[in-house]
Amino acid sequence: MYSHSDIMRIALAQLNYTIGDFEQNREKIIEVIRHARNQQVDLVVFAELSICGYPPRDFLEFSDFIERCEFSVQSIADECKGIAAIVGSPSHNPDIKGKNLLNSAFLLSDGKIIASAHKTLLPTYDIFDEYRYFESNKTFEVIEFKGLRMALTICEDLWNIGPDPLYVIAPMEALSLQHPDIIINIAASPFTWGQEEERNKVLNTNASNYKIPLIYVNHVGAQTELLFDGNSKVLDETGQIIHVLSAFKEDFRIVDFDTNTRKFPDNSFDHQISKTEKSQLIHDALVMGIHDYFKKMGFSKAILGLSGGIDSAVTLCLAAEALGPENVRAVLLPSRYSSDHSIADARSLALNLKTPHEVISIEESFQSFVDTLSPQFKDLPFNIAEENIQARVRAVILMALANKFGFILLNTSNKSEAAVGYGTLYGDMCGGISVLGDVYKTEVYELANYINRNTEIIPWNSISKPPSAELRPDQKDSDSLPEYGILDQILYQYIELRKGPAELIKLGFEENTVRRILRMVNMNEWKRHQTPPILRVSPKAFGSGRRMPIVAKYLS
C-alpha cells in the first residue's frame, strides 16, 4: 500500500534468474512483489534485464524473444496494484536510426508502465558486447513517483568516473542537475575476486560526489561461465554503505527512505560489513557456479577423474559441496606410471567426502593402443605421443561413463596449465564445465588450504608433494615448466595486466623465462578455443573476455 507520509518503503530484490526462462523469472518477480506488498512496501527494485536474464546475447536477435519480454513486463505490471516495481528488459527503440533495441528500466504501477529509463553507457570490453545489440540512450530525465525523484540508471551508467574515463558522457552529471532525491542503479555486474572493492569505490564516488543516496540492485547466480555475486547495497549521501545484501545467494531487503530529508532513518543502518578473503570469495563463487550450471541445465550428477593431485582434489571438494557428495562420482584411473601414494591420496579424499568412487586401470587400454600403433611408431622413443594416449584413454572412459549414466564431466585443469598449453586436447582438457580454468596453480593451493581450514579433508600429501601429470617415470611439472611461483606471477602480469616482455623484464623476471612463457601462451591459443566453458573468477579469464587470434606471430 502506498505510504501517505514522507517515508517511502523501498525493497531491494536480489534474484537468481535464468536466461530465457520467462515463466520462472516472471513467477519469481511476481512472488516477490506480492510478498513486498504484504510488507507495506511502496517500490520494489529488481536487476538489469531481470525479465530475460543476463547476458541474453544473440537471443536478442529473435523477435519472438523480445515479444516474450514484452509479455512478461505487462504481466508483471498487471500485478503492480497498490505497489510499484522497477524491472529491466530489452525494449524496441522508437527511433529508426541506430540499433533496434534499448536496454531499459521500466517503472510499473497501476497495471501499466508509467515511466522508463534507458542505458546510456554500453560496455564493449572484456566479456561485455552490449553495443552489438543496443542503442545508447540520448536523453536524461529524473523520474518522479509518489513524491520521490529518482535518477534511474543501469549498471555501467555510473562507471564513467576517474582520471581516464572510458566514455565521453556521464549520465549522472546530467541527471544531478535535475535535483533527484535518490539514485537507483539496476545492474548485472559479474563477479571477479576484486570486483566488490572496485564496485564499492564506484558507488561511493557517485553518492558522495553528487551528495545523493544510492540504491544498487545486482544479479546473483551463475549464467554458464559468468558468475554474479549479488552484494546489492544501499549507500547514504556521504557514500557510506549502510546495507549490504548477501553474496552468492538470493536476498531481499526493505529500507525506509524519507523523501523530505532525502535520508535513510538512522535506525535502518546495518554496520555489519566485513571484507571477505580472496580464497573464500573464489571458493563460494565456484561452488555457486557448479550448482547453477547443473541446476539450470537440468543435470544433477557429476563425474571426474581423481588422480591424487591437488587440482582434481579441489575440484571434487567444490563439486561435492555444490551438488552433494552422493551426486559426484570420482574415478581413479591409474596407469603403470601412477604412484601408490597418489592412489592412496585419492581414495582417502573420496572417503573423507563420502563420495562414490571406483578404480579403473587404464593399463590394458593403453597397451592396446601402443600395440595398434607399433607398426607406425616402429622403434621411435617414448615421447609425448604415448603420454597423450594415456590422457585420452582416461577421457574416453570418463565420457563413456558420463554418456551411460547421465553425468556431466568436470574438467580439472587450472589456469596455469591452460595458459601454457600443459594439457592434452581431447584428454584431460575435456569436460562439460571447467571448474579451475580461471584459477592459477598457486591459487589452487590457497583454495586447498581454505578447504582444510577446520580439518584435513584434502590429504596433506596431495598439497605438499611436487605436482606431476604421472605420464612417464618420475615426471614432475617442473621438468617442463618454471616453478609455479614464478610462472604464475609472469602469467598474471601478462594476462590480467597486459604487461609486455620489456615491462616484465624490467620488473625483474629473467629474460629467457619471460620470452619462453609468453611464447607458450600465444602458441597455445588453438587449444584454448576447444576447451569447455571456464567459470570466471578473475578480471581476465580465458573465453569470451579474452579474444586473441589463433594464427598470429606476436611474441610467438
Side-chain angles (χ1 to χ4, degrees), residues 3 6 60 112 124 167 174 197 209 249 259 277 330 352 389 468 474 511 513 528 536:
S3 301
D6 293 328
L60 292 167
K112 58 182 182 293
T124 56
Y167 307 93
E197 185 175 350
N209 280 1
K249 62 182 181 181
T259 58
E277 293 301 318
N352 288 345
I389 288 171
S468 170
D474 302 318
E511 180 174 354
T513 302
R528 290 189 291 272
R536 175 182 181 268

Side-chain angles (χ1 to χ4, degrees), residues 388-403:
N388 285 345
I389 288 171
Q390 296 170 69
R392 291 184 178 122
V393 166
R394 290 184 170 117
V396 167
I397 293 171
L398 290 168
M399 285 305 303
L401 292 170
N403 292 159

Side-chain angles (χ1 to χ4, degrees), residues 27 77 163 227 250 286 303 384 441 504:
E27 288 173 7
L227 312 179
E250 294 187 328
L286 294 176
I303 191 170
I384 193 172
K441 186 76 169 189
L504 291 168

Side-chain angles (χ1 to χ4, degrees), residues 126-283:
D126 197 66
I127 55 93
F128 301 105
D129 201 3
E130 291 195 26
Y131 192 61
R132 179 183 176 97
Y133 312 103
F134 298 116
E135 186 62 26
S136 177
N137 170 62
K138 306 293 192 302
T139 61
F140 305 96
E141 291 184 15
V142 164
I143 294 171
E144 187 165 347
F145 171 71
K146 299 291 179 179
L148 181 70
R149 292 175 57 78
M150 297 180 286
L152 181 53
T153 58
I154 303 176
C155 203
E156 189 85 353
D157 288 346
L158 295 186
W159 284 71
N160 201 35
I161 59 174
D164 184 21
L166 186 60
Y167 307 93
V168 297
I169 298 172
M172 271 311 303
E173 287 185 6
L175 289 167
S176 67
L177 299 177
Q178 300 176 41
H179 309 293
D181 300 319
I182 194 169
I183 301 168
I184 294 181
N185 184 258
I186 64 172
S189 177
F191 167 83
T192 68
W193 54 260
Q195 179 71 357
E196 176 66 352
E197 185 175 350
E198 181 67 21
R199 191 187 291 147
N200 287 341
K201 289 179 182 177
V202 168
L203 298 178
N204 169 274
T205 298
N206 278 274
S208 60
N209 280 1
Y210 298 110
K211 296 180 173 53
I212 304 171
L214 190 156
I215 284 177
Y216 168 83
V217 178
N218 193 22
H219 280 248
V220 71
Q223 308 291 359
T224 313
E225 76 277 22
L226 295 186
L227 312 179
F228 295 86
D229 55 312
N231 277 306
S232 303
K233 51 184 59 82
V234 178
L235 292 80
D236 67 14
E237 71 282 1
T238 70
Q240 178 187 1
I241 298 171
I242 56 177
H243 292 281
V244 180
L245 276 63
S246 301
F248 305 112
K249 62 182 181 181
E250 294 187 328
D251 205 354
F252 176 84
R253 184 74 58 89
I254 298 172
V255 295
D256 290 336
F257 183 74
D258 191 323
T259 58
N260 185 37
T261 64
R262 301 203 318 177
K263 294 180 184 293
F264 298 98
D266 290 345
N267 60 10
S268 71
F269 283 21
D270 177 2
H271 297 288
Q272 297 179 354
I273 300 167
S274 59
K275 185 176 180 180
T276 307
E277 293 301 318
K278 176 182 172 182
S279 293
Q280 182 182 343
L281 286 171
I282 294 175
H283 170 276

